[in-house]
Amino acid sequence: MSEFKRISPQQAHALRQQGAAVVDIRDPQSYALGHISGSQHLDNYSLADFIARADLDAPLIVTCYHGNSSQSAAAYLVGQGFSEVYSLDGGFELWRASYPADVAQDAAE
């Protein structure tokens, strides 16, 4: 995959069950109030460390509020060497509506 792909919450849910990682690029306060279970908050401060530790060949799903900002972040991550990157259409808001039982709170996860 030379570019990222946009996927629905249903496709993302299936990918997660196969072991895909999820990164959330929203602000820390929004992330703390609710995020996809098992996701990692990613911002300018944690980005370099995340890239250094990540498996560049593993599937990676990027989420934001509504699925717009995640597209730019997904494109950036492809440029950093990630080979299988997805942007979540509808972002966290659509995920929360689709999978309310798969939402966690607090940043300690």
Side-chain angles (χ1 to χ4, degrees):
M1 177 185 299
S2 59
E3 297 181 6
F4 72 91
K5 292 185 179 178
R6 295 172 55 185
I7 59 171
S8 69
Q10 293 75 20
Q11 292 168 304
H13 190 264
L15 269 176
R16 286 185 67 232
Q17 291 178 326
Q18 298 169 14
V22 180
V23 293
D24 188 322
I25 63 167
R26 297 175 301 143
D27 67 88
Q29 296 79 14
S30 295
Y31 178 83
L33 290 173
H35 53 271
I36 296 173
S37 298
S39 66
Q40 178 178 341
H41 184 248
L42 192 61
D43 60 16
N44 289 336
Y45 302 105
S46 61
L47 181 62
D49 189 52
F50 172 77
I51 292 171
R53 295 173 182 253
D55 177 352
L56 300 180
D57 295 320
L60 179 64
I61 301 166
V62 183
T63 188
C64 61
Y65 295 97
H66 301 287
N68 297 319
S69 300
S70 59
Q71 293 180 53
S72 297
Y76 175 81
L77 290 167
V78 167
Q80 297 304 303
F82 286 85
S83 62
E84 191 175 345
V85 183
Y86 303 90
S87 172
L88 180 63
D89 279 347
F92 175 72
E93 295 303 322
L94 185 56
W95 178 275
R96 177 170 42 198
S98 302
Y99 298 101
D102 208 357
V103 170
Q105 289 185 333
D106 84 59
E109 181 167 312

